[in-house]
Amino acid sequence: MTHSTTRKWSGLLLVSATLLLVFLAWDNGPTGSGLVGADTPANCSFEDIEGKWKFFMGPSTTNGVNCSMPWKKTRSWVINLRFPDLAVDENGRLGFWTLIYNQGFEVVIRNKKFFGFSDYEKISKKKVISYCNVTIGWAHNDDQTDWSCFRGEQISRFRDTGSSVKALDLENLESQFDEHAVHRKNDKFIAAINQHQNSWTATYYKRYKNLTLGDLRRRAGGKLHKRVYPNVAPVDDDTREASSKLPDAFDWRDVGGIDYVSPVRDQGICGSCYAFASTATQESRLRVMTNNTVKLVMSPQEVVSCSEYAQGCEGGFPYLIAGKYGQDFGLVDETCYPYRERDAPCRRVSCRRFRTSDYHYVGGFYGACNEDLMRLELLRNGPLAVSFEVYDDFLFYRGGIYHHVPFVDRFNPWQTTNHVVTIIGYGFKGDNPKKGEKYWIVQNTWGSEWGEKGYFRIKRGNNECNIETLAVGTVPLTN
């Protein structure tokens, strides 16, 4: 991928052999698909990906590679991916891999990184075929040298769990949701939330007037094609002991009277929450690492416009942006690439890039996260980017400790979305931390007039809306 010429694809994979040559050419290889970003309709699990793979790589370049151009395979590498995170190559050398939601996976072995999205074919508006036995993406060394395009093909599977080619019916997911319908105020919906629980209050925001349901969905994170959040990982004895020594409450906005959290921002109606949460995590962690001597506001728009690791205003994942994109290419300052609240062509800039030296899912890999590990990571290294499920009632949060009120869904049909936000602290309600209602303190990306001055609190310890399953930590470079 060449950073200055990154391009966005429509999200429809091209499987005809003729069109394929325009995007990804093979010499005597099987038919495949063009590169796309997350969030795609692909739906691949651990069981689908685990197995023996053969990675075919193209010619090497030094400063990125444009995989939209035809390329030929020049070398290959056989790697076994074992559940949940062990990679072993044909010579017995050990490495690491992680699933990235249901979209693709990353492998790190010897000094090489492979990242690719799982292949899929959109048959129609109502049906998608996921080819979990094929991945297409980029390979490079740990130091961002020796770039090449690669295609991975699964040779065999370790467990017989059915076909790795799966159909996903989008019709049920899209039912009762009209992308272009204008949102209308629903007083019964607001009243029902407030009447049937007392943990939090709901209100109507004038900002929503005349927005379409599609606008609101993008604001809340974009489409969630299928709910595939992992379970909360068990807490081992060492982690439990370490977390028991942490304070009962903590807030990075007030550590000895010092605020280490970057300002609240507003993403508008572009589904760029992943870019805002990724930049906010980097900004705040830089403040923590430098004792507030480096106070930046970074550019989500550069990510939206230029990153092939995401899908612009249609969504993405912080692991790939705060983490991988931050390491491979770096983030730029907001003044260098101002926010435009829409998809726009990538343009060349010569500003300084702020890179990431390391990134990880909390717990080490996808599916290893829990509350105790999140609190440890939060205090040790700074705010966390997290994904969680947004239901319609969350849009109207005014204050208090949020939890989803499921019965009110009948008032307002809504397609659940996958939103990304930044956890900056935690606490409890009442005088007794063991008996009080526990919560996370979270920075949202909907402006300072929403919620509690741009923040919200959400129940902690019970994986409310899956907020304790997909936390991402990074280590920004400070020079």
Side-chain angles (χ1 to χ4, degrees), residues 2-260:
T2 302
H3 178 68
S4 62
T5 58
T6 49
R7 300 171 61 185
K8 284 288 185 295
W9 306 115
S10 64
L12 301 180
L13 291 190
L14 306 176
V15 295
S16 97
T18 302
L19 291 176
L20 178 64
L21 291 174
V22 178
F23 291 94
L24 189 62
W26 273 79
D27 60 334
N28 64 40
T31 301
S33 304
L35 291 168
V36 297
D39 182 15
T40 75
N43 178 34
C44 301
S45 64
F46 271 118
E47 291 78 10
D48 299 318
I49 302 300
E50 184 187 20
K52 180 182 287 188
W53 287 76
K54 192 168 189 177
F55 292 167
F56 299 95
M57 291 168 279
S60 296
T61 64
T62 56
N63 296 309
V65 58
N66 186 351
C67 295
S68 67
M69 303 299 292
W71 59 275
K72 293 185 177 183
K73 60 186 180 183
T74 60
R75 48 196 163 144
S76 64
W77 200 347
V78 175
I79 301 175
N80 295 304
L81 304 181
R82 298 186 178 276
F83 178 85
D85 66 339
L86 177 64
V88 185
D89 77 357
E90 52 199 320
N91 296 312
R93 292 171 293 205
L94 302 182
F96 158 83
W97 77 285
T98 183
L99 199 66
I100 301 173
Y101 201 59
N102 61 345
Q103 306 288 287
F105 58 90
E106 183 176 53
V107 179
V108 183
I109 190 166
R110 220 171 167 192
N111 68 333
K112 201 79 173 176
K113 286 191 174 185
F114 298 87
F115 161 67
F117 293 106
S118 294
D119 199 357
Y120 72 91
E121 179 183 2
K122 196 165 185 180
I123 302 298
S124 67
K125 291 183 178 180
K126 299 180 179 180
K127 188 174 290 277
V128 167
I129 304 295
S130 295
Y131 299 100
C132 302
N133 57 346
V134 175
T135 186
I136 303 166
W138 304 267
H140 60 73
N141 289 346
D142 285 341
D143 60 359
Q144 287 78 52
T145 61
D146 190 22
W147 279 79
S148 66
C149 304
F150 93 97
R151 174 188 172 94
E153 298 177 9
Q154 192 179 56
I155 300 172
S156 62
R157 302 170 75 187
F158 300 142
R159 290 180 287 174
D160 184 9
T161 56
S163 175
S164 58
V165 178
K166 305 187 298 184
L168 176 63
D169 186 358
L170 299 181
E171 183 173 11
N172 293 332
L173 297 176
E174 297 288 348
S175 64
Q176 297 184 311
F177 190 92
D178 183 353
E179 184 85 11
H180 304 289
V182 176
H183 164 76
R184 298 185 184 281
K185 182 180 179 182
N186 189 332
D187 292 329
K188 290 184 179 180
F189 183 66
I190 303 294
I193 295 171
N194 291 327
Q195 289 171 1
H196 292 86
Q197 54 83 38
N198 57 13
S199 292
W200 63 282
T201 57
T203 192
Y204 182 75
Y205 290 96
K206 293 180 181 179
R207 172 72 182 272
Y208 299 160
K209 186 178 180 180
N210 296 326
L211 294 183
T212 67
L213 295 183
D215 292 335
L216 286 176
R217 178 164 65 179
R218 283 184 291 275
R219 185 168 172 80
K223 295 181 181 180
L224 177 61
H225 294 287
K226 188 174 182 180
R227 299 180 190 179
V228 291
Y229 284 85
N231 294 324
V232 172
V235 182
D236 60 45
D237 291 340
D238 290 341
T239 300
R240 184 176 291 107
E241 181 180 359
S243 65
S244 69
K245 299 175 183 177
L246 297 177
D248 296 322
F250 185 85
D251 188 338
W252 275 111
R253 295 173 298 180
D254 183 5
V255 181
I258 300 175
D259 184 354
Y260 291 93

Side-chain angles (χ1 to χ4, degrees), residues 19 213 246 278 308 422-423 454:
L19 291 176
L213 295 183
L246 297 177
S278 294
E308 288 194 59
T422 309
I423 289 180

Side-chain angles (χ1 to χ4, degrees), residues 1 6-11 35-40 103 115 117 138 271-272 274-275 278 300 302-318 320-322 325 343:
M1 179 171 63
T6 49
R7 300 171 61 185
K8 284 288 185 295
W9 306 115
S10 64
L35 291 168
V36 297
D39 182 15
T40 75
Q103 306 288 287
F115 161 67
F117 293 106
W138 304 267
S272 54
Y274 68 96
S278 294
E302 196 273 342
V303 172
V304 169
S305 294
C306 299
S307 176
E308 288 194 59
Y309 298 163
Q311 193 73 5
C313 282
E314 293 300 322
F317 300 102
L320 295 178
I321 299 305
Y325 189 74
D343 286 315

